Amino acid sequence: MARAVTQQRKLINTALAWGIGLLIFFPILWTILTSFKTEATAIADPPVFLAFDWTLENYEAVMERSNYAKFLWNSIIIAGGSTILGIIVAVPAAWSMAFVPSKRTKDILLWMLSTKMLPAVGVLYPIYLIFINLGILDSRVGLVIVLMLMNLPIIVWMLYTYFREIPGEILEAARMDGASLKEEILYVLTPMAIPGIASTVLLNFILAWNEAFWTLNLTAANAAPLTAFIASYSSPEGLFFAKLSAASTMAIAPILILGWFSQKQLVSGLTFGAVK
């Protein structure tokens, strides 16, 4: 029997959730507010929160100095391409681990996850040389491949978890009806796991969008995404906090909007199979 939750407990939990949420969101809020300040106000001591003269001069300066649309397009191509390619590779892999029993499945999954524990800088030099030899340094193709490989363990793990919640009898019935392996995955498994796949796509798109280490080290000008766009505002002359905040706000705005409109789908996917 479920334990009743008192009204007081609900209020405490709600207040606690709001407090944690605001604490997490505060750095983003401060960045957005700083982007509307002058450079003098941005470094004022004590800090000024809301009582300042709002200005758009930082956004105007950023747009004049940089080709924002090019950086944005590169980010969309790199994040979207790596996520789609990762899903194409991960769906069959997760299917085989979820529905083809093996004693080594868990060992393989743990090994895949352990690759995320290796510091990225440890493999930077060989990958850099490979990219030079293949002629894909400072190219969107190269970044799509490396970001896909970097996030592939997470994609496989998430899809494996979702696929395990789908009864194997349904797939067996499809085979008895004459479905091929391709038809089983495309027309039976995938539609049933849409919430899980959607949340996996969204999460990995966000991870690829925010990736800075590989994008800064494997690009120069042609394929530079928004992470390089932000980094360009850190100069030897010093940090211009207001302009840096404006660039950061322009870089995170698309992903914030995407997350806001897809939060219901993301929560639905992350809780997929949680209630029996």
Side-chain angles (χ1 to χ4, degrees):
M1 182 177 178
R3 185 174 60 181
V5 180
T6 64
Q7 186 66 23
Q8 183 181 7
R9 183 62 179 272
K10 288 182 180 179
L11 291 175
I12 293 174
N13 290 341
T14 301
L16 184 62
W18 271 99
I20 295 174
L22 291 174
L23 183 64
I24 294 173
F25 183 71
F26 183 77
I28 299 176
L29 176 61
W30 186 258
T31 299
I32 296 173
L33 290 176
T34 304
S35 70
F36 292 100
K37 300 176 182 178
T38 62
E39 291 292 347
T41 307
I43 60 175
D45 188 19
V48 180
F49 188 62
L50 289 175
F52 62 88
D53 295 327
W54 294 58
T55 178
L56 293 174
E57 64 180 18
N58 299 309
Y59 290 94
E60 293 172 358
V62 169
M63 293 299 291
E64 289 176 1
R65 171 179 167 178
S66 306
N67 187 355
Y68 172 74
K70 179 182 178 181
F71 290 103
L72 176 63
W73 180 243
N74 284 340
S75 284
I76 293 173
I77 294 296
I78 292 168
S82 63
T83 300
I84 293 172
L85 184 60
I87 289 293
I88 292 173
V89 174
V91 167
W95 170 86
S96 64
M97 293 180 183
F99 299 108
V100 181
S102 173
K103 295 180 179 179
R104 296 189 175 276
T105 296
K106 291 185 178 180
D107 294 334
I108 295 173
L109 285 169
L110 288 174
W111 171 79
M112 292 181 64
L113 192 61
S114 69
T115 61
K116 296 291 294 178
M117 302 175 188
L118 175 68
V121 69
V123 293
L124 173 60
Y125 186 63
I127 290 180
Y128 189 84
L129 293 179
I130 291 172
F131 272 43
I132 292 176
N133 291 330
L134 294 178
I136 56 175
L137 188 65
D138 192 23
S139 71
R140 291 186 295 220
V141 173
L143 281 177
V144 165
I145 294 173
V146 76
L147 293 187
M148 182 275 289
L149 294 174
M150 182 189 70
N151 291 326
L152 190 59
I154 297 177
I155 301 177
V156 173
W157 260 90
M158 292 184 68
L159 291 181
Y160 169 78
T161 303
Y162 299 136
F163 289 174
R164 289 287 295 174
E165 300 296 331
I166 298 175
E169 292 79 6
I170 296 178
L171 301 183
E172 292 177 2
R175 294 189 204 112
M176 293 181 64
D177 288 339
S180 64
L181 178 59
K182 178 182 177 182
E183 293 171 338
E184 177 185 333
I185 294 176
L186 287 179
Y187 303 119
V188 182
L189 177 67
T190 301
M192 295 184 64
I194 283 295
I197 294 175
S199 63
T200 302
V201 167
L202 290 171
L203 181 60
N204 283 273
F205 186 87
I206 293 171
L207 290 175
W209 186 278
N210 294 330
E211 174 58 35
F213 178 81
W214 292 109
T215 55
L216 292 177
N217 284 283
L218 298 178
T219 62
N222 295 330
L226 287 171
T227 47
F229 169 72
I230 297 174
S232 67
Y233 285 86
S234 175
S235 64
E237 293 79 13
L239 290 176
F240 297 91
F241 289 102
K243 293 179 178 60
L244 179 61
S245 297
S248 299
T249 301
M250 293 172 68
I252 65 176
I255 208 69
L256 283 177
I257 295 171
L258 175 65
W260 176 265
F261 284 105
S262 61
Q263 58 182 320
K264 182 178 180 181
Q265 185 64 49
L266 183 59
V267 172
S268 174
L270 292 175
T271 57
F272 178 69
V275 181
K276 296 292 185 181

